[in-house]
Amino acid sequence: MLFFDCATAPNPRRARMIIAEKGLEIETREVSIAKGEQLAADFLAINPRGTLPVLVTEAGQALTETVAIAAYLEDLHPEPPLMGQGAEEKAAVLNWNAVIEQQGGQPITDVFRNSHPAMKGRSLPGPQNYEQLSDLAERGRARVAEFFDMLETRLQQSPFIATDRFTLADISCFAMIEFARVSKLRIPEDNRATLTWYEHIRKRPSASV
C-alpha cells in the first residue's frame, strides 16, 4: 500500500488517525497543498480530482475518499473496530459520519476556502479555480454554530458520537473541529459535553499524528 498525505488538511488527518488506531505502518508520501503539489501532472495521474488523501491499495486501486479508505483498512484489519460491529452499529457509524461531514465538515470548509487569503481563487478543491464567495463564508459560520449546538445535544446523550465507544465518526468530527480553529471557529465554552468529549479524544495517541 501507498498513502498520499498532506499534513495540514483535515481529510488526510482523518486517514492518518485511522491508520494510527489500527497500528499500521504504511509507506507515505507527503503532498503539499500549499505548494500546489496536488495539481502536478504526476499526482493527477493517480487522482485526477487533485484531492487528498489517497490510498493506493495492494491491488493498485487508488482510493480517494476517506470512508472508502476506512472501509478497506477495516476489512483487512478489523481490530479495533472503527466502523461498528453488527448491522445496527455499522449503520449508526455511517449515518453519524455522514451527518458530521455534511453539517460540520462542509460549512467549516466553506468558511476556510471562502475567507482565508491562502485560498484566494481556490474556493473549491480540484484542478479548476473558483473565486471566493463571501456569502458562503458567512453562511458557513452560521451553519458551524448550528453544528456545535447539534453536537452538544448528541454528546449529552452519549459519550461518543455514533455508539458508546470510539469510532470513525469521532475521528471525523475531531479532525474537522481541529481544522476549524484555522478560521477561528471553536467549541463554545458553554458546550461542556462537547468539550469533555474533545479533551478525551485529544489524549488518544492517534490525535497527535
Side-chain angles (χ1 to χ4, degrees):
M1 288 186 283
L2 179 60
F3 178 59
F4 291 88
D5 193 9
C6 177
T8 58
N11 285 325
R13 187 177 186 185
R14 292 163 68 192
R16 288 199 306 276
M17 288 182 71
I18 293 164
I19 291 167
E21 289 286 340
K22 295 290 185 183
L24 304 176
E25 293 186 8
I26 300 175
E27 181 183 351
T28 299
R29 294 180 188 172
E30 179 71 13
V31 179
S32 173
I33 291 176
K35 296 178 181 178
E37 293 176 352
Q38 81 281 13
L39 303 178
D42 57 347
F43 184 75
L44 289 176
I46 298 166
N47 179 13
R49 293 173 54 233
T51 60
L52 290 151
V54 176
L55 179 70
V56 179
T57 69
E58 294 175 351
Q61 179 181 189
L63 301 178
T64 63
E65 296 297 323
T66 306
V67 174
I69 292 171
Y72 177 75
L73 294 178
E74 184 96 344
D75 191 62
L76 290 180
H77 306 277
E79 295 296 331
L82 297 177
M83 300 192 72
Q85 293 179 306
E88 293 292 335
E89 277 195 7
K90 288 179 179 179
V93 172
L94 288 175
N95 185 80
W96 274 104
N97 192 73
V99 169
I100 296 300
E101 289 180 337
Q102 295 164 12
Q103 298 188 32
Q106 186 59 60
I108 288 168
T109 301
D110 282 346
V111 174
F112 172 70
R113 285 208 166 253
N114 289 282
S115 65
H116 198 285
M119 292 292 105
K120 186 174 177 60
R122 294 290 301 159
S123 66
L124 287 174
Q128 304 301 322
N129 294 326
Y130 294 94
E131 291 301 319
Q132 293 176 323
L133 298 173
S134 59
D135 286 351
L136 275 181
E138 183 178 354
R139 186 185 71 179
R141 290 187 180 92
R143 290 186 64 205
V144 172
E146 294 171 0
F147 169 69
F148 280 136
D149 287 344
M150 180 205 71
L151 195 58
E152 177 68 9
T153 298
R154 172 57 181 168
L155 290 169
Q156 287 176 356
Q157 302 166 348
S158 172
F160 296 99
I161 291 171
T163 71
D164 60 359
R165 55 190 170 77
F166 183 80
T167 68
L168 172 65
D170 298 286
I171 290 175
S172 295
C173 193
F174 178 79
M176 290 169 184
I177 288 176
E178 287 273 278
F179 184 67
R181 297 188 300 174
V182 177
S183 301
K184 298 181 172 59
L185 302 168
R186 292 178 171 83
I187 301 168
E189 293 183 1
D190 291 339
N191 292 22
R192 303 310 305 171
T194 307
L195 288 168
T196 298
W197 166 87
Y198 173 78
E199 289 301 322
H200 180 74
I201 305 301
R202 196 164 67 91
K203 292 176 182 177
R204 297 182 75 91
S206 66
S208 64
V209 300

